[in-house]
Amino acid sequence: MTMMIITVFLTAIVAVLAILVRTSQTGSGIFAPPEISGSRNVFPSAKVVNLTGASGPESIAFDPAGEGPYVGVSDGRVLKWRGESLGWSDFAYTASNRQECVRPVAPELEHVCGRPLGLRFDKKTRDLYIADAYFGLLVVGPAGGLAKPLVTEAEGQPFRFTNDLDIDEQEDVIYFTDTSARFQRRQFLAAVLNVDKTGRFIRYDRSSKKATVLLQGLAFANGVALSKDRSFVLVVETTTCKILRLWLSGLNAGTHEVFAELPGFPDNIRRNSNGEFWVALHSKKGLFAKLSLSQTWFRDLVLRLPISPQRLHSLFTGGRPHATAIKLSESGKVLEVLEDKEGKRLRFISEVEEKDGKLWIGSVLMPFLGVYDL
């Protein structure tokens, strides 16, 4: 009898939440994504580059010759864009056994097929370094093909959710994140909702092949970006909506601090040629997300709701797909906020890469890239 009452109660909660989400889709509901002062709603004019038979171009990289972009997609491949006439072609992959990897999106097979997330080229060697959510840090040569694993654990603890990276070529080291020791990539929303704080920020020395943990106890360790002068490195903490700065040199070397607090959930961060940083927000932080992360009783209720992960994601992101990119100065000041407030063209973006007067925009969920002309 008690179970029946609980089930009826939860079902009623779901019905109420569904109504609130539907009103939020019009932009007026209490769970609707909040407005950001001074933002410009320009992304509806962005162009779209569709992926054929693939989805989720989470990270974007151009090779040292300026070719690309290259993107990692949901089925474990890295694709290369060869222009409108030639389209996309396979460049690399992270799993040797790809017999089952035939569907564009199959979360239940990610641990078999791999899931390339962060991508970075070494400008000297032209090698592509890949943070694969399941297979750790890998590298593949300029000709592509099967990527070679470099490291899968740090200080005796295996990686569970390798996420993003950046390369300091002068010091011959790679900085990267291991998002969680409890949750894998396909459980990303659960990691956020449970306020998991087992993420790590790691340094990999390419000459000694040693991985050293620099920061731990992070709440969804995510994007990574080295400063232009290499004096500090930034690491995204998605759940707290913060970017942390770890000083690498100078009087503060070895210490870290909050670099920026953002109005939503940041994914990757990329430096432009001026030394500024573009941050992609997966979504803005609305009322549902605030309550879920700050009120234990509400979070416990949410985690017990009999709804699909897709429905829960819709609630958490405000019921209305949208896209938000924020440009930060070298000191962490907000310089610009660009949006697609209603998700007319772009939504759930994961990375913003600035090149030759254009922004190339990835998404961990969508089957296309966005291109916005600055």
Side-chain angles (χ1 to χ4, degrees), residues 4-26:
M4 185 181 295
I5 293 172
I6 292 173
T7 302
V8 170
F9 174 71
L10 290 176
T11 303
I13 292 290
V14 171
V16 171
L17 290 175
I19 293 170
L20 292 173
V21 167
R22 278 198 294 272
T23 59
S24 296
Q25 289 170 345
T26 67

Side-chain angles (χ1 to χ4, degrees), residues 61-341:
F62 291 86
D63 66 28
E67 294 185 5
Y70 298 71
V71 298
V73 294
S74 296
D75 66 8
R77 293 176 295 160
V78 175
L79 307 179
K80 178 181 179 180
W81 176 246
R82 298 181 179 276
E84 292 187 12
S85 58
L86 297 175
W88 295 98
S89 64
D90 289 4
F91 176 73
Y93 44 97
T94 55
S96 57
N97 181 9
R98 293 193 50 81
Q99 292 178 345
E100 298 180 84
C101 310
V102 294
R103 286 181 287 156
V105 182
E108 72 280 4
L109 288 174
E110 285 186 352
H111 65 292
V112 174
C113 303
R115 183 43 168 118
L117 296 177
L119 304 177
R120 297 279 193 172
F121 275 97
D122 183 309
K123 296 179 179 63
K124 298 175 184 174
T125 66
R126 297 175 58 216
D127 291 337
L128 175 64
Y129 286 81
I130 304 167
D132 186 285
Y134 297 85
F135 300 147
L137 192 64
L138 305 97
V139 63
V140 66
L146 178 62
K148 178 181 70 174
L150 291 174
V151 61
T152 58
E153 65 172 37
E155 300 181 1
Q157 182 178 326
F159 306 145
R160 190 160 179 83
F161 184 168
T162 325
N163 199 321
D164 195 28
L165 74 151
D166 202 357
I167 304 171
D168 185 337
E169 294 179 16
Q170 291 190 39
E171 293 293 324
D172 204 28
V173 299
I174 299 172
Y175 296 99
F176 67 101
T177 47
D178 181 27
T179 295
S180 171
R182 293 177 57 204
F183 297 93
Q184 292 186 306
R185 196 220 68 87
R186 57 178 173 264
Q187 304 162 313
F188 75 92
L189 187 54
V192 174
L193 281 170
N194 281 278
V195 196
D196 175 66
K197 295 181 180 179
T198 60
R200 299 184 293 169
F201 181 54
I202 301 163
R203 168 187 165 128
Y204 175 72
D205 189 305
R206 291 192 286 188
S207 57
S208 69
K209 297 180 171 50
K210 181 182 178 183
T212 304
V213 178
L214 300 178
L215 297 174
Q216 54 191 336
L218 301 178
F220 208 104
N222 204 330
V224 180
L226 195 64
S227 67
K228 189 173 183 179
D229 65 0
R230 301 168 34 257
S231 65
F232 64 85
V233 61
L234 301 179
V235 56
V236 167
E237 197 177 44
T238 298
T239 303
T240 62
C241 302
K242 294 177 181 178
I243 297 173
L244 307 179
R245 169 165 54 189
L246 175 65
W247 288 99
L248 301 174
S249 61
L251 295 175
N252 296 318
T255 66
H256 70 280
E257 63 200 5
V258 175
F259 179 75
E261 295 190 48
L262 302 171
F265 299 96
D267 198 330
N268 287 347
I269 179 169
R270 291 295 182 263
R271 189 185 73 241
N272 67 13
S273 58
N274 297 323
E276 301 154 338
F277 301 95
W278 282 104
V279 185
L281 300 189
H282 180 81
S283 66
K284 291 184 280 189
K285 189 177 184 179
L287 179 59
F288 186 93
K290 288 178 181 177
L291 289 173
S292 297
L293 298 177
S294 64
Q295 303 297 323
T296 304
W297 67 268
F298 189 81
R299 178 165 64 249
D300 291 344
L301 175 64
V302 166
L303 291 171
R304 295 183 66 181
L305 293 176
I307 57 176
S308 68
Q310 292 78 14
R311 189 91 170 269
L312 185 56
H313 181 262
S314 179
L315 286 168
F316 193 80
T317 56
R320 189 180 69 204
H322 54 279
T324 306
I326 299 178
K327 185 164 75 168
L328 301 174
S329 71
E330 288 183 289
S331 62
K333 179 184 176 183
V334 174
L335 301 176
E336 198 169 9
V337 181
L338 306 181
E339 296 198 78
D340 185 340
K341 295 182 179 181

